Each structure stands twice: as C-alpha cells, then as structure tokens.
Amino acid sequence: MTPNRPLLEVKNLKKHFPIRGGLLGRTTAKVYAVDGVSFDIAKGETLSLVGESGCGKSTVGKALLRLYPVTDGEVYLDGQRIDNMAASKLRPMRQRMQVVFQDPFSSLNPRMRIVDILGEPLSNFGMAKNRADLRERVGLLMDKVRLPRDAIDRFPHEFSGGQRQRIGIARALAPGADLIICDEAVSALDVSVKAQIINLLVDLQDELGLALLFISHDLATVEHLTHRVAVMYLGKIVELTDRRTLFAKPHHPYTKALLSAVPVPDPTAPRNRVILTGDVPSPINPPSGCRFHTRCPLVHDRCRVEEPALRTVGEGHSSACHLTHAPGELAMAGSA
Ligand code: SF4
C-alpha cells in the first residue's frame, strides 16, 4: 500500500439510473441516486454511511463493488483506479473488497453446506491446495467468527439469524479481504444479537486491520463501532466528520434531526426533538438549491436557489449548509 494513501478513495461518484419510456425506449428521466459523493477510508478504519431509506447509501456500496457501472467519478483501491477497470482485470480487486448483506438467509444458498459456502471463495481464488486443506481453512474461518468448527457440514437453516450473519462475515473474510462493505448488515437482527455482531466486527478489525464501510439507516447502530460518519441525503453527503464530533456537535440540520430521534438511556432526560415534516423528495426530480430545503426547520430564501457546497466547518469536519455555525446560531455563510 502507498504510504499515507487511503485504502479506498471515492471522488465525485455519481450513479444515475435512466428511466426509459415511449415506443423507442428513450430515456425520459433519470433517478439521481448518487450525485457527487466523495470520501476515503484508511486501512483499519470504519466509515459509516448513514441516511434514510432511499438516500443512495446502498447504491454507493453496490457501485464500489462494480455491481452497477458508475455514471461518473473515480474510485481508487490502494491507489489503483477501479471504477473503469476492465471486467477481466477485476478479480484481484474483488478478492480485496467484499460485502456482507442485510439478510443473511437469502444471501446464503440454502442447498449448500457451510463448508461449501465458505469454501467457494477459497476455491475461486485458488487458496486451498486440496479438500483437506479447504476444510482446515474453513475451520479457521469458523474460529474467527466464533462458530464451532464441527458445524461446517450443516446447512444455513440450521443456524440462527445471528449465526448466519457470522457465516456471511466469514465468507467476506475468506478471500483475505482488507475492505468489507457492510450493507445494513445488522439491521435485521435483535438488539442483543446486533451488539454481538458489532463487537465481532470491532474485534476482527483490531485483529486483521480491516477497513469497513458500514452502511446503515440508523445512527444509534454506528455509534459504538465507527471512526467517522458521512451523513447522506438524497444522493449527496451533507455532513462528514469523526464520531465524537458528529454526536456531540453536529452541524447540519438534517444530522441534528437524525440524532434527535436516537433513543437515549434516560427517556425522561430533556432533549430537543427535531421532527422532520414531509417525505424525502423524489430523487428523479430533487429540489432546487439545498436538497433538504423542503424539510429543513431553518430554511431561508437562499436555500431554495443556491446549493450549499460541502465545506470545512472544523478540523476534519465538513457540512453542506449555508449556516456557518451549528444550527440554532443563525450566522450565514458569506455574512459571518
Ligand atoms: Fe437548511 Fe438551508 Fe442549511 Fe439546507 S442550506 S440545511 S435548507 S439551513
């Protein structure tokens, strides 16, 4: 790896889906699912991508994995550009970048035994010398995710939801990945099981130096495992900073609204709940100016016509809002 260079660099990534209509199937509109997203992730770091359903966060993950062709922008893995790499050269990239999906049951083939599910990536990447070696390596993967080795001949339905997600994580580790994209990987799990899987991911990160892109709709979920957080709204990142700053001193009104909905240990403690009105606008026809202006409690005239750039508001902290101070202090960018 190039010294000081992030493991993953994403520059102005765009993914627009054409909507076709008419007899000739011409493009009549576009879904602006991801519309200029930039971030990076260092080796051993967790970056969480958070936002409501439909904000484009899962599309970012799928575009990085080349499950969708990107519309524009650049993606680098360990310094090597991968967004436009020929399919025939993608194999080493796929070995290094793996994914864990939300639903562990549907992502595991019910007719395959665990030894074959975990053995498949080992065989595909030529990592096992023979069947005995493959079974030994699968056993080591089971150790890593704290499942019994003697369960490798069972089928997915013989495991609980949390255990199946451990198998999903083991499958992502199998080819020796150093970046794992967790796409709502704990969202379907009960609270206690969710905490166990998060602890497992943190331990694996410490042990293996993994980088994680953790995609979630829920800020409370990411609080205990992330290093930095990028908040997405309608295809754009609206705030990006380290965990401590985001939870203690958020800048963007949307982040404040998301945080105000996070349950606190003492429900009687005073808090400023920000209730967002209206639905998320359609990504087919996003609002002019600031995309959040139709729901923002601090909207003013400028917001409707001028799109706020993502700009630095503190060390390692950027926010896309015309307000220069944390919401509540009404200084405006350009006048403060
Ligand atoms: Fe709200 Fe305006 Fe800031 Fe957008 S730019 S978040 S509408 S105050």
Side-chain angles (χ1 to χ4, degrees):
M1 180 163 155
T2 313
N4 301 323
R5 186 157 191 174
L7 179 64
L8 179 75
E9 294 168 90
V10 179
K11 299 182 178 179
N12 202 27
L13 181 72
K14 295 184 183 176
K15 178 59 198 172
H16 302 163
F17 294 97
I19 298 175
R20 299 188 200 283
L23 284 176
L24 299 175
R26 290 207 173 104
T27 300
T28 54
K30 285 180 185 168
V31 179
Y32 297 91
V34 178
D35 206 17
V37 159
S38 301
F39 60 85
D40 53 51
I41 307 180
K43 185 173 166 54
E45 184 189 33
T46 300
L47 175 78
S48 294
L49 209 48
V50 177
E52 288 164 289
S53 172
C55 71
K57 56 192 187 301
S58 288
T59 306
V60 170
K62 292 190 171 87
L64 297 180
L65 290 159
R66 293 281 303 264
L67 301 179
Y68 298 141
V70 305
T71 304
D72 201 3
E74 296 169 17
V75 180
Y76 296 85
L77 182 68
D78 208 357
Q80 193 173 15
R81 189 165 175 189
I82 58 171
D83 57 278
N84 59 359
M85 190 177 269
S88 58
K89 294 187 178 164
L90 279 174
R91 207 174 150 76
M93 184 280 278
R94 294 201 193 283
Q95 187 169 4
R96 298 189 62 180
M97 192 153 81
Q98 290 284 311
V99 63
V100 179
F101 289 112
Q102 175 177 1
D103 183 352
F105 198 60
S106 66
S107 66
L108 302 176
N109 186 332
R111 288 186 292 277
M112 286 171 73
R113 295 179 192 275
I114 301 308
V115 65
D116 296 316
I117 290 173
L118 298 184
E120 198 170 46
L122 296 172
S123 301
N124 287 347
F125 291 108
M127 298 173 73
K129 292 195 278 278
N130 50 42
R131 186 72 185 169
D133 185 35
L134 183 138
R135 288 182 69 87
E136 172 61 20
R137 286 172 181 267
V138 169
L140 289 170
L141 288 167
M142 296 290 269
D143 293 346
K144 281 217 178 333
V145 296
R146 297 169 202 157
L147 286 174
R149 278 185 177 221
D150 60 9
I152 66 172
D153 289 311
R154 294 193 203 151
F155 291 94
H157 72 267
E158 297 178 71
F159 295 86
S160 69
Q163 288 172 329
R164 286 197 289 262
Q165 200 55 302
R166 286 173 192 266
I167 295 165
I169 293 168
R171 184 175 54 183
L173 295 175
D178 44 11
L179 171 65
I180 296 185
I181 297 176
C182 299
D183 188 359
E184 299 280 12
V186 297
S187 301
L189 304 174
D190 293 343
V191 174
S192 63
V193 180
K194 185 184 285 195
Q196 290 168 17
I197 298 294
I198 287 175
N199 289 339
L200 174 67
L201 286 168
V202 171
D203 290 349
L204 287 171
Q205 181 171 56
D206 283 349
E207 184 187 334
L208 304 171
L210 294 172
L212 300 175
L213 175 61
F214 200 88
I215 296 170
S216 175
H217 66 281
D218 180 14
L219 270 172
T221 296
V222 309
E223 186 175 3
H224 300 292
L225 94 161
T226 200
H227 296 107
R228 289 186 299 141
V229 184
V231 178
M232 273 190 83
Y233 186 80
L234 260 190
K236 295 196 177 256
I237 289 177
V238 296
E239 184 155 12
L240 176 56
T241 188
D242 63 88
R243 172 187 57 187
R244 189 181 298 233
T245 305
L246 189 105
F247 282 89
K249 216 174 167 206
H251 181 273
H252 199 281
Y254 179 58
T255 311
K256 280 211 117 182
L258 289 181
L259 278 172
S260 79
V262 171
V264 290
D266 177 5
T268 62
R271 60 193 316 212
N272 292 327
R273 183 81 204 267
V274 183
I275 308 285
L276 291 179
T277 53
D279 295 326
V280 180
S282 167
I284 297 173
N285 187 19
S288 60
C290 174
R291 292 184 176 197
F292 186 54
H293 87 246
T294 55
R295 301 170 81 203
C296 180
L298 299 172
V299 61
H300 46 279
D301 288 346
R302 183 180 175 191
C303 308
R304 297 186 181 89
V305 291
E306 188 183 329
E307 183 172 358
L310 191 64
R311 61 191 175 78
T312 302
V313 293
E315 195 182 337
H317 186 181
S318 48
S319 172
C321 174
H322 292 311
L323 300 171
T324 52
H325 301 301
E329 307 166 56
L330 282 172
M332 317 274 273
S335 63

